């Protein structure tokens, strides 16, 4: 079989071989040495399983029909036999198209009228195609005789008691195997079916008849008869299900999504600013504690699941990192392993660069990080297998398949008409139809993907937005190169179409404010980065949204003076930025704060306090709130304290004074408060469009791979024309085993030996170029390697398939 399979691949045109590689890209990772190696890989369990995982429900049903319709003598099937099984249940043209897809992927090979199913399909698929059992003549002679008399079989089925008929209906729907009672007694309906040879007792490991078996099986012929209304294969759906969702106005969808995108960006900023003000400790087991998550959720006015999602996304985007308490920034896992440092979560250096981007670019960084991160955020708050809670950023939430699940969900939404908002169950049903093997058991991660897309504004009102559709298209891995060249892991600098589209939908950034009489400052839109930086210094935020509100206070003016603004600078700032007249109350507040600012000077003594205003010094000394400072008068204008300067300044400011630190020369020291940042992780830089996915070749690269395989095949066949005797490890020749004749049959012999569990002589070329052989029992044949057991030495050997020159079954 392996030789015939390789010959069929060899007979393909270059275009057809390239099409096969595009349909099954894993076949060229790495590039096989020749067509024979390609054939072995295409028939391996791993490659066949990956190919089946990508097939839709209807194509898999047609494959089941091909498996069911195989001849008992030749193991061949045909399109005519498949059409006979699917007659009345599906359009013949749809069946022919699915049959063609299977042949194009070489899961079926050979002509249409004599096609053969690749052996690994039976190994990686259910042993019961279409939920039907094995043939009756395989299970039990008496049952086979009953099935041969169709009229008698019908009469016996009609005579079945109601309980027995219920058991038959359940087994006929599939799977066709049921367990007997574990207590040693068999239910009466099941016993009736066994006594009448309708059900056959079987063992878990052996074939029937085994009347001491643990299971009962419904033979294939009876199952097909019971399915006479729905067809032998059951209901068939050649096309995906149509979702019964609401139709939204695309403009409303974009508007809702845009608002949510702005909220997501704002909430991430709020969460990271809260962590900057009060860092959270890294748990010994990794991750963020429950109390810290609650605190951050309250600070951002979010529910805890949404806060956890945004924190995870920020970490994946490289905006959040880990730092030791001394600020040295040692790696989290390494630091905990060494037990040398305690660590905290802090905004990373990249966070400051991210804040300088436009809102659309900031959103894109978050959305692409969400698409690429290998985290299932829906697990946060649940308990692991040891009954411990799964925390935010903890290793327990790692799931390698999460990025692919998110791309699948967005692809389903993007394939619908603009504005279509399907229900969650409809999305899951469409995913189940598109790739039933892959979707099985992944409902939770698909639901999490829908929740994440809504939280980040990729969807709005349940439908995918126009910019979300563009993001999904740009994130497709169609142009990834499995050979390491041309990968789009790092986006080429520039603005993507998704960003341009979102930019057009977002309110235009504003460079002005509206100052009210009550000293509130209204920003009528998203502020420009420069204006946002100024507002962070001179005002306190009160509310956020499309139009944010800040308020100028004594503390905010003092903060601005502390970082170097003068009263004149602040007057000029508000005159330049405000579209409304500056209230007189704001002018007075700035002038009064500036007049008091620096009236006191503090230095190191522990610390000292001086002022040219003796009355002010007397006021400070008499203030009972400052008793803990232990102030002492050194001169009419100088006080000292045993406390350090930072504590002295903080206590005076809390008491309503406005001191300024000074250096040794008496000059005022004005500076912004120091902001701590975690180092940017080298493996977590902001990646826009970095998506893991199946590799894809096209154009010149694909043609080059095909040519490489062809040349390798020519060279291999030329080298094998001269027979070379294969010698055993002890130097003696193995009769009848030469490299030429052996190679033409080696893969077929090895595949059959794996199934039959027999010993074979394997000829191979060792690392020194010597041709030797071993007598082994093959265990598995996959991923380019043969794994076999040497029973004499009780060791397990691994042989690279390209080094195997021959294989002969032991006589």
């Amino acid at each position: 079989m392996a030789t015939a399979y390789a010959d069929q691949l060899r007979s393909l045109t270059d275009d057809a071989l390239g099409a096969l590689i595009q349909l099954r890209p894993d076949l060229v990772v790495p590039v096989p040495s020749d067509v024979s190696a390609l054939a072995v890989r295409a028939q391996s369990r791993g490659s066949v399983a990956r190919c089946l995982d990508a097939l839709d429900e209807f194509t898999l049903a047609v494959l089941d029909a091909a498996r069911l319709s195989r001849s008992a003598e030749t193991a061949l099937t045909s399109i005519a036999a498949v059409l006979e099984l699917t007659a009345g249940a599906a359009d013949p043209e749809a069946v022919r198209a699915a049959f063609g897809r299977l042949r194009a992927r070489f899961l079926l090979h050979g002509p249409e009228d004599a096609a053969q199913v690749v052996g690994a399909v039976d190994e990686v698929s259910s042993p019961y195609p279409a939920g039907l059992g094995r043939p009756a003549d395989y299970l039990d002679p008496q049952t086979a005789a009953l099935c041969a008399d169709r009229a008698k079989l019908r009469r016996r089925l009609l005579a079945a008691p109601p309980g027995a008929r219920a058991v038959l209906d359940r087994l006929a729907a599939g799977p066709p195997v049921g367990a007997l009672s574990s207590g040693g007694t068999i239910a009466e309906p099941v016993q009736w079916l066994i006594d009448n040879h309708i059900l056959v007792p079987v063992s878990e490991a052996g074939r029937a008849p085994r009347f001491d078996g643990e299971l009962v099986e419904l033979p294939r012929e009876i199952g097909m008869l019971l399915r006479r209304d729905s067809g032998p294969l059951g209901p068939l759906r050649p096309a995906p299900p149509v979702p019964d969702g609401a139709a939204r106005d695309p403009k409303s969808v974009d508007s809702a999504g845009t608002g949510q995108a702005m909220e997501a960006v704002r909430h991430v900023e709020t969460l990271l600013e809260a962590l900057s003000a009060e860092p959270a400790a890294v748990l010994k087991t990794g991750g963020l504690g429950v109390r810290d998550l609650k605190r951050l959720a309250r600070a951002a006015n979010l529910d805890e699941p949404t806060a956890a999602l945004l924190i995870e996304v920020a970490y994946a985007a490289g905006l959040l990192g880990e730092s030791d308490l001394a600020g040295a920034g040692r790696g989290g896992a390494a630091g905990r392993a060494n037990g040398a440092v305690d660590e905290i979560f802090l905004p990373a250096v990249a966070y400051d660069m991210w804040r300088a981007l436009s809102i659309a670019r900031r959103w894109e960084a978050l959305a692409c990080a969400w698409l690429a991160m290998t985290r299932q955020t829906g697990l946060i708050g649940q308990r692991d297998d040891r009954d411990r809670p799964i925390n935010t950023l903890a290793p327990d939430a790692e799931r390698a398949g999460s990025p692919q699940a998110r791309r699948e969900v967005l692809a389903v939404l993007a394939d619908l008409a603009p504005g279509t908002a399907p229900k969650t169950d409809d999305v899951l049903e469409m995913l189940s139809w598109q790739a039933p093997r892959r979707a099985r058991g992944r409902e939770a991660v698909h639901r999490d993907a829908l929740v994440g897309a809504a939280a980040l504004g990729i969807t709005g009102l349940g439908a995918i937005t126009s910019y979300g559709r563009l993001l999904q298209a740009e994130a497709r891995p169609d142009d990834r190169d499995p050979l390491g060249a041309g990968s789009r892991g790092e986006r080429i600098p520039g603005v993507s179409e998704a960003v341009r589209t979102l930019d057009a939908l977002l309110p235009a950034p504003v460079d002005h404010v509206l100052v009210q009489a009550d000293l509130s400052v209204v920003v009528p839109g998203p502020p420009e980065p420069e204006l946002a930086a100024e507002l962070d210094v001179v005002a306190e935020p009160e509310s956020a949204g499309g139009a944010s509100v800040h308020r100028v206070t004594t503390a905010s003016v003092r903060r601005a003076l502390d970082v170097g603004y003068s009263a004149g600078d602040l007057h000029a700032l508000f005159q330049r930025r405000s579209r409304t007249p500056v209230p007189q109350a704001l002018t007075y507040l700035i002038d009064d704060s500036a007049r008091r600012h620096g009236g006191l000077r503090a230095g190191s003594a522990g610390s000292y306090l001086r002022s040219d205003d003796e009355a002010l010094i007397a006021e400070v000394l008499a203030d009972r709130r400052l008793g803990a400072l232990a102030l002492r008068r050194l001169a009419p204008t100088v006080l000292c304290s045993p406390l350090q300067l930072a504590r002295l300044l903080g206590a005076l400011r809390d008491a309503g004074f406005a001191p300024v630190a000074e250096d040794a020369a008496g000059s005022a020291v004005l500076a912004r408060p120091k902001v701590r940042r975690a180092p940017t992780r080298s493996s977590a830089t902001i990646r826009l469009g970095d998506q893991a996915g199946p590799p894809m070749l096209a154009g010149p690269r694909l043609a080059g791979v095909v040519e490489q395989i062809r040349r390798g095949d020519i060279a291999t066949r030329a080298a094998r024309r001269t027979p070379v005797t294969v010698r055993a490890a002890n130097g003696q020749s193995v009769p009848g085993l030469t490299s030429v004749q052996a190679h033409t049959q080696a893969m077929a012999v090895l595949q059959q030996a794996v199934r039959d569990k027999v010993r074979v002589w394997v000829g191979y070329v060792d690392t020194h170029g010597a041709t030797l052989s071993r007598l082994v029992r093959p265990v598995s044949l996959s991923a380019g390697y043969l794994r076999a057991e040497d029973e004499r030495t009780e060791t397990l050997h691994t042989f690279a398939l390209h080094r195997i020159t021959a294989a002969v079954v032991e006589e």
Side-chain angles (χ1 to χ4, degrees):
M1 173 181 171
T3 303
Y5 193 93
D7 289 341
Q8 291 175 37
L9 288 179
R10 197 172 283 115
S11 66
L12 294 176
T13 64
D14 287 353
D15 290 341
L17 188 58
L20 172 63
I21 292 172
Q22 287 187 310
L23 292 171
R24 299 177 63 177
D26 63 290
L27 296 180
V28 293
V29 183
V31 178
S33 57
D34 53 27
V35 175
S36 296
L38 179 68
V40 171
R41 193 175 297 173
Q43 297 176 89
S44 66
R45 291 170 57 94
S47 180
V48 168
R50 281 189 289 270
C51 187
L52 293 177
D53 287 346
L55 294 181
D56 60 67
E57 177 186 292
F58 183 68
T59 305
L60 288 174
V62 172
L63 179 59
D64 280 343
R67 296 171 64 195
L68 290 170
S69 61
R70 285 179 291 192
S71 167
E73 294 78 18
T74 63
L76 299 178
T77 186
S78 66
I79 184 63
V82 172
L83 287 171
E84 183 180 352
L85 273 179
T86 58
D91 178 42
E93 290 304 315
V95 175
R96 289 182 181 276
F99 196 85
R101 289 194 291 272
L102 294 170
R103 294 183 68 228
R105 289 163 174 79
F106 266 69
L107 296 175
L108 295 178
H109 61 98
E112 280 192 349
D113 57 351
Q116 188 166 1
V117 180
V118 170
V121 170
D122 294 321
E123 298 173 14
V124 301
S125 302
S126 168
Y128 306 107
L132 293 170
R134 291 170 289 184
D137 57 2
Y138 179 87
L139 294 172
D140 180 32
Q142 291 179 289
T143 304
L146 176 63
C147 292
D149 189 342
R150 305 285 289 183
K152 183 178 180 180
L153 176 61
R154 288 191 179 92
R155 288 195 301 270
R156 192 163 294 183
L157 289 176
L158 290 173
R165 188 54 191 257
V167 172
L168 287 177
D169 290 340
R170 208 276 304 161
L171 294 177
V177 176
L180 294 174
S181 173
S182 60
T185 59
I186 301 176
E188 183 177 346
V190 176
Q191 188 64 58
W192 187 93
L193 293 170
I194 294 174
D195 294 342
N196 285 272
H197 305 291
I198 296 174
L199 292 183
V200 180
V202 296
S203 66
E204 293 186 358
R207 58 172 290 178
R210 284 286 301 272
F211 290 96
D212 58 346
E214 303 90 353
L215 308 172
V216 288
E217 183 172 340
L218 180 68
R220 179 177 300 176
E221 294 83 352
I222 300 177
M224 294 177 70
L225 180 61
L226 293 171
R227 291 184 181 183
R228 58 185 177 275
D229 294 332
S230 60
L233 302 177
L236 297 179
R237 298 188 295 180
V242 178
D244 184 20
R248 313 284 190 188
D249 179 14
K251 292 184 179 178
S252 299
V253 170
D254 282 348
S255 178
T258 300
Q260 186 58 40
M262 293 176 61
E263 286 294 289
V265 171
R266 181 178 67 83
H267 286 316
V268 168
E269 288 189 34
T270 304
L271 290 168
L272 295 183
E273 287 297 330
L275 277 173
S276 178
E278 186 179 346
V282 179
L283 299 177
K284 291 182 179 179
T285 56
L288 186 72
V290 174
R291 291 183 179 178
D292 287 316
L293 177 62
K294 290 180 182 291
R295 170 176 64 84
L296 294 171
R298 285 195 301 269
N301 196 23
L302 292 170
D303 58 82
E304 292 176 29
T306 304
L309 168 66
L310 295 179
I311 291 170
E312 291 274 5
V313 171
Y315 190 88
L319 309 180
L320 176 64
E322 297 162 323
S323 175
D324 61 63
L325 289 176
R330 292 179 57 176
R336 285 189 297 275
N338 296 333
V341 293
D342 292 323
E343 292 180 324
I344 54 176
F345 287 111
L346 279 173
V349 175
Y351 169 63
D352 297 308
M353 297 184 289
W354 177 77
R355 288 192 67 190
L357 300 174
S358 66
I359 293 178
R361 292 292 295 273
R362 279 181 274 173
W363 171 84
E364 185 191 35
L366 297 177
C368 289
W370 173 75
L371 276 171
M373 71 180 189
T374 56
R375 307 279 299 170
Q376 186 178 341
T377 56
L379 296 175
I380 296 171
Q382 300 182 18
R383 307 191 80 82
D384 61 14
D385 52 2
R386 289 172 288 183
D387 199 34
R388 297 186 308 182
I390 299 177
N391 295 319
T392 309
L393 300 177
D396 300 317
E398 283 285 339
R399 295 294 185 274
S402 296
Q404 183 178 2
R406 296 187 191 103
R407 289 195 303 272
E408 291 169 354
V409 168
L410 293 188
V412 164
L413 297 177
D415 287 340
L416 301 175
T420 304
K423 299 176 183 177
T424 299
D425 290 340
D426 291 338
V427 174
L428 297 180
E429 187 178 4
M430 286 187 286
L431 288 167
S432 180
W433 185 91
Q434 288 181 352
R437 286 171 54 94
R438 196 162 57 207
R440 190 179 302 120
R442 304 182 70 191
E443 292 82 3
V445 68
H446 287 142
R447 291 180 186 274
D448 289 347
L450 288 169
V451 171
L456 291 171
I458 299 174
T459 60
L461 302 178
I464 191 168
T465 59
S466 59
Y467 57 87
R469 195 180 299 270
L470 291 170
L471 177 76
Q472 184 271 336
E474 292 167 359
R476 285 182 304 184
D478 293 348
D479 55 354
R480 289 180 63 87
D481 188 337
L483 306 179
S487 173
R488 56 183 295 178
E490 294 287 352
R491 185 186 296 276
I492 298 173
V495 180
S496 68
E497 287 300 320
V499 169
R500 291 193 182 95
T501 303
L502 180 57
D503 256 332
L505 294 169
L506 287 168
V510 298
D511 60 355
H512 62 277
V513 299
L514 307 174
V515 181
Q516 308 295 317
D518 60 353
L519 301 186
S520 62
V521 179
V522 179
V523 186
E528 290 182 343
E530 184 180 355
L531 175 59
E534 292 172 345
L535 289 173
D536 284 344
V537 175
V538 302
E540 305 288 354
E542 286 196 343
S543 66
S548 56
V549 178
H550 298 68
R551 185 171 299 278
V552 182
T553 64
T554 302
S556 68
V557 172
R558 188 171 61 215
R559 183 172 66 243
L561 295 170
D562 282 343
V563 302
Y565 281 93
S566 65
D569 294 334
L570 293 175
H571 289 312
L573 170 64
F574 285 107
Q575 289 288 349
R576 184 176 73 256
R577 293 294 190 183
S578 179
R579 292 290 177 86
T580 58
V582 177
Q584 195 172 39
L586 178 57
T587 303
Y588 290 159
L589 175 62
I590 294 173
D591 290 339
D592 288 345
S593 298
R595 187 164 42 251
R596 290 171 54 85
H597 188 264
L600 293 174
R601 299 296 180 95
S604 297
S607 58
Y608 67 85
L609 192 66
R610 72 175 183 87
S611 174
D612 295 335
D613 188 344
E614 294 185 23
L616 182 56
I617 287 292
E619 179 184 353
V620 171
L621 189 60
D623 196 323
R624 293 182 178 180
R625 295 172 299 174
L626 302 177
L629 297 180
L631 293 172
R632 180 167 61 90
R633 187 190 294 268
L634 299 180
T637 58
V638 181
L639 301 177
C640 72
S641 170
L643 302 182
Q644 294 299 315
L645 176 61
R647 292 186 60 187
L648 175 64
L649 291 173
L652 289 168
R653 286 168 178 164
D654 290 343
F657 296 96
V660 171
E662 68 179 15
D663 58 18
S667 301
V669 178
L670 303 176
R672 290 179 180 270
K674 184 178 180 181
V675 179
R676 294 187 60 186
R677 290 289 183 258
T680 300
R681 304 186 310 279
S682 59
S683 59
T685 55
I686 300 177
R687 295 178 183 270
L688 307 179
D690 186 9
Q691 301 294 326
M696 185 66 67
L697 284 174
R701 290 287 293 176
L702 177 61
V705 169
V706 172
E707 182 180 1
Q708 182 177 344
I709 294 173
R710 295 287 195 197
R711 288 182 176 181
D713 195 55
I714 293 171
T716 302
R717 297 175 71 185
R720 288 170 179 160
R721 289 195 180 99
T722 304
V724 177
T725 301
V726 177
R727 299 186 178 277
N730 59 9
Q732 297 180 354
S733 62
V734 179
L737 190 62
T738 63
S739 63
V740 171
Q741 71 183 66
H743 182 78
T744 58
Q745 303 175 0
M747 296 302 109
V749 169
L750 291 173
Q751 287 175 337
Q752 192 61 41
V754 171
R755 298 187 184 96
D756 297 342
K757 297 180 174 58
V758 298
R759 296 197 300 180
V760 295
W761 282 98
V762 174
Y764 65 97
V765 179
D766 66 11
T767 55
H768 302 290
T771 305
L772 303 173
S773 70
R774 283 186 182 275
L775 182 62
V776 294
R777 188 183 303 278
V779 176
S780 66
L781 188 70
S782 63
Y785 291 94
L786 167 69
R787 291 169 180 83
E789 181 183 9
D790 189 335
E791 296 180 346
R792 294 170 298 180
T793 60
E794 296 184 351
T795 56
L796 188 66
H797 295 279
T798 300
F799 303 93
L801 293 183
H802 68 274
R803 290 185 175 274
I804 293 178
T805 59
V808 174
V809 178
E810 181 189 28
E811 296 295 337

